[in-house]
C-alpha cells in the first residue's frame, strides 16, 4: 500500500513514499532557499521554474530511497492547493502525467490537511493513534489556522489570521531588520540572547471571533521601534553580511546584532508565541481536546515548543523538525484515508490558489 506524495505548493519541491499512512519509506525535499533569499521572499515566477527543474530528479530520488518502482505504487497523491498557482501546477500536472502513464489512481490533498497529517503519521510510526477530538494549529508562512479535528477527515475551522500568517510576520520582520529569508529560523535562534520582556508589544484584540489571529499590528509596532531607534546602519551591515555569506553563521548574525535589537527580537518572539498559545489553550478547553496538534513551519520554533512544556495538563503533539516545514511525506500520509474511502481525483483536477479545508 505505497503512496507516492508530491508537494510543490510554495518553494520546496518534495516527494515521498509512505506505506499505509504509517511508515515513512523516503522523503526528499529540494529547497529553493538559495534562489529566493536574496529577494527577502518567494518570487512566484522563479519558484515555478525551480519546481520544473527539480520535480523529476526529486521524484526519482524518493522512489530510489524507498527501494520502490512505479509497479509497487498503489496511488499518487499531490497537493492541489492552497498555494502559489504556478508552483502547484507543476506538481499537479506531473502527478497527472505519471498516473496516466502508469495507470495509477490520483489523489488530491489539501496542503493544510497535509500539515495536520505530518503529526498523525509520526504518531502512527510510533505505534500510537492521535486521540480525538484534537485541536490543530497550522502555522506557516501562508496560514495560521485553528481547527477542531473530531476525526481524521473531519475539520471545523475555529479561527484564522485576518492579515499576516505567523510565519509571514517572522519573514517580514526579519526582512525589515536585514536578516535573510526565511526569517523564522534566524529570529528563533537569536531570541534566547535577548530579554523577552525588554520591549512591550501589545497583544491583538479581536472583535467578533476572538479565536482569529492578527499579526499586522505587531509587524507595524516593530517598524515603529526600528524608526525610533535609528538603527539603519546596523540593518545595512546585516544586509551586507547576507550578500557576502550565503547564509551567514549564527556567530556572524550575533556579532551584527546589538543587545537592544536582540531584546526586541526576543520580545517579538514572546508576543507571537503568546498570541498563538492563548487561542490554542482557550479553544482546546472549549472543544474538550484530547490532544493538540501543532504543525506547519512555525511549529519548528524552539521557543514555542519550550513554552508548551509549561502546560503539562495538555497533550501537545509536534512533528519532527523535518516534517514541520513543507514536505511530501505529509501529503502521502494524508492521502491514505482518502484512498481507503475511494476519494480519487480525475484528470480535470485543478491547482487552486485558495482551497479552504473546512
Ligand atoms: O510550512 P512551511 O514550510 O511553508 C508554508 O506552507 O508556508 O513554513 C515556512 C514558514 C516561513 O514563514 C518560516 O519563516 C517559518 O515557517 N518558520 C519559522 C521557523 N522555521 C520556519 N517560524 C518561526 N520559527 C521557526 N523556527
Ligand atoms: Zn506549508
Amino acid at each position: 500500500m505505497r503512496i507516492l506524495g508530491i508537494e510543490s505548493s510554495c518553494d520546496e519541491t518534495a516527494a515521498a513514499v509512505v506505506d499505509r499512512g504509517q511508515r515513512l519509506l523516503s522523503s526528499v525535499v529540494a529547497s529553493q532557499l538559495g534562489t529566493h533569499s536574496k529577494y527577502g521572499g518567494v518570487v512566484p515566477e522563479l519558484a515555478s521554474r525551480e519546481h520544473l527543474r527539480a520535480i523529476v530528479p526529486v521524484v526519482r530520488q524518493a522512489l530510489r530511497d524507498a527501494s520502490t518502482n512505479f509497479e509497487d505504487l498503489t496511488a499518487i497523491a499531490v497537493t492541489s492547493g492552497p498555494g502559489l498557482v504556478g508552483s502547484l501546477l507543476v506538481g499537479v500536472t506531473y502527478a497527472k502525467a505519471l498516473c496516466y502513464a502508469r495507470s495509477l489512481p490520483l489523489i488530491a490533498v489539501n496542503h493544510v490537511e497535509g500539515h495536520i497529517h505530518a503529526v498523525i503519521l509520526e504518531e502512527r510510526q510510533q505505534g500510537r493513534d492521535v486521540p480525538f477530538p484534537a485541536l490543530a494549529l497550522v502555522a506557516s508562512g501562508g496560514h495560521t489556522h485553528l481547527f477542531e479535528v473530531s476525526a481524521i477527515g473531519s475539520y471545523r475551522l475555529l479561527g484564522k489570521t485576518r492579515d499576516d500568517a505567523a510565519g509571514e510576520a517572522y519573514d517580514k520582520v526579519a526582512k525589515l531588520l536585514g536578516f535573510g529569508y526565511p526569517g523564522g529560523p534566524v529570529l528563533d535562534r537569536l531570541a534566547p540572547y535577548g530579554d523577552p520582556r525588554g520591549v512591550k508589544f501589545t497583544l491583538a484584540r479581536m472583535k467578533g471571533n476572538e479565536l482569529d489571529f492578527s499579526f499586522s499590528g505587531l509587524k507595524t509596532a516593530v517598524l515603529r521601534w526600528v524608526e525610533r531607534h535609528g538603527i539603519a546602519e546596523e540593518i545595512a551591515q546585516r544586509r551586507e553580511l547576507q550578500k557576502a555569506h550565503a547564509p551567514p553563521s549564527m556567530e556572524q548574525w550575533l556579532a551584527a546584532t546589538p543587545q537592544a535589537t536582540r531584546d526586541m527580537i526576543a520580545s517579538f518572539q514572546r508576543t507571537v508565541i503568546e498570541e498563538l498559545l492563548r487561542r490554542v489553550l482557550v479553544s482546546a478547553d472549549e472543544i474538550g481536546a484530547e490532544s493538540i496538534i501543532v504543525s506547519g513551519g512555525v511549529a519548528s520554533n524552539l521557543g514555542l515548543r519550550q513554552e508548551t512544556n509549561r502546560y503539562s495538563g495538555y497533550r501537545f503533539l509536534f512533528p519532527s523538525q523535518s516534517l514541520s516545514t513543507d514536505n511530501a511525506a505529509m501529503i502521502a500520509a494524508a492521502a491514505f484515508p482518502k484512498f481507503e474511502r475511494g476519494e480519487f481525483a480525475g484528470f480535470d483536477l485543478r491547482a487552486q490558489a485558495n482551497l479552504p479545508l473546512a
Side-chain angles (χ1 to χ4, degrees):
M1 252 308 311
R2 296 180 174 194
I3 296 181
L4 168 69
I6 296 176
E7 151 68 36
S8 70
S9 67
C10 191
D11 60 342
E12 339 265 8
T13 319
V17 180
V18 175
D19 192 11
R20 298 198 71 80
Q22 60 184 8
R23 206 157 62 91
L24 179 57
L25 300 180
S26 67
S27 178
V28 178
V29 180
S31 164
Q32 303 178 1
L33 281 190
T35 305
H36 303 291
S37 59
K38 54 181 171 291
Y39 300 103
V42 178
V43 184
E45 170 75 24
L46 296 180
S48 311
R49 287 168 192 268
E50 289 288 315
H51 284 305
L52 273 176
R53 215 198 310 271
I55 191 111
V56 174
V58 163
V59 166
R60 281 203 181 133
Q61 187 65 43
L63 290 174
R64 243 194 325 267
D65 289 357
S67 306
T68 299
N69 297 314
F70 279 109
E71 290 70 37
D72 307 325
L73 291 177
T74 317
I76 295 178
V78 68
T79 306
S80 61
L84 299 170
V85 81
S87 290
L88 288 164
L89 261 175
V90 176
V92 167
T93 309
Y94 187 54
K96 279 185 198 173
L98 284 178
C99 287
Y100 183 72
R102 303 283 174 171
S103 303
L104 284 165
L106 177 66
I107 300 172
V109 174
N110 180 304
H111 181 82
V112 176
E113 182 175 15
H115 274 302
I116 294 173
H117 275 267
V119 170
I120 297 172
L121 166 63
E122 291 195 308
E123 284 299 298
R124 289 242 169 104
Q125 287 221 114
Q126 310 284 328
R128 293 188 293 262
D129 278 320
V130 167
F132 296 116
L135 188 276
L137 169 70
V138 179
S140 69
H143 346 266
T144 307
H145 286 9
L146 270 181
F147 295 102
E148 175 184 7
V149 188
S150 40
I152 286 176
S154 173
Y155 311 99
R156 185 165 70 93
L157 183 67
L158 302 173
K160 64 176 185 341
T161 183
R162 293 194 191 161
D163 38 62
D164 294 341
E168 192 179 359
Y170 271 96
D171 295 337
K172 286 180 174 170
V173 163
K175 186 179 182 181
L176 173 71
L177 294 173
F179 296 101
Y181 171 85
V186 185
L187 299 185
D188 184 19
R189 288 175 67 195
L190 284 170
Y193 295 92
D195 174 6
R197 306 273 160 197
V199 179
K200 179 119 191 60
F201 291 119
T202 42
L203 295 174
R205 280 267 196 80
M206 307 311 293
K207 288 208 179 103
N209 185 3
E210 285 176 9
L211 294 177
D212 278 349
F213 301 87
S214 168
F215 292 101
S216 71
L218 177 59
K219 179 189 65 190
T220 309
V222 172
L223 176 63
R224 297 280 169 268
W225 184 93
V226 166
E227 288 167 353
R228 270 202 316 280
H229 285 74
I231 58 165
E233 206 170 296
E234 172 194 326
I235 293 172
Q237 193 195 339
R238 282 193 292 266
R239 293 212 169 109
E240 286 307 314
L241 195 62
Q242 217 189 113
K243 273 189 215 144
H245 307 269
S249 68
M250 213 47 217
E251 288 68 35
Q252 287 171 316
W253 280 136
L254 270 170
T257 309
Q259 194 57 47
T261 304
R262 294 183 190 182
D263 291 348
M264 193 278 287
I265 290 170
S267 306
F268 165 78
Q269 163 126 319
R270 178 185 59 83
T271 310
V272 174
I273 294 172
E274 222 169 300
E275 293 282 14
L276 295 173
L277 280 188
R278 202 158 53 117
R279 290 169 179 82
V280 161
L281 296 173
V282 168
S283 47
D285 288 344
E286 240 168 52
I287 68 163
E290 294 288 333
S291 60
I292 299 174
I293 293 171
V294 185
S295 194
V298 179
S300 49
N301 188 277
L302 297 174
L304 174 64
R305 286 176 184 239
Q306 240 164 37
E307 189 62 18
T308 60
N309 290 335
R310 292 184 39 208
Y311 300 95
S312 52
Y314 297 86
R315 182 151 170 207
F316 276 93
L317 303 171
F318 285 87
S320 59
Q321 291 282 345
S322 62
L323 293 198
S324 293
T325 47
D326 287 350
N327 65 86
M330 66 189 199
I331 303 303
F336 179 64
K338 294 182 197 298
F339 177 84
E340 286 189 310
R341 292 197 298 266
E343 257 179 61
F344 300 113
F347 287 131
D348 57 351
L349 176 67
R350 290 188 302 136
Q352 285 181 278
N354 297 309
L355 184 61
L357 175 58

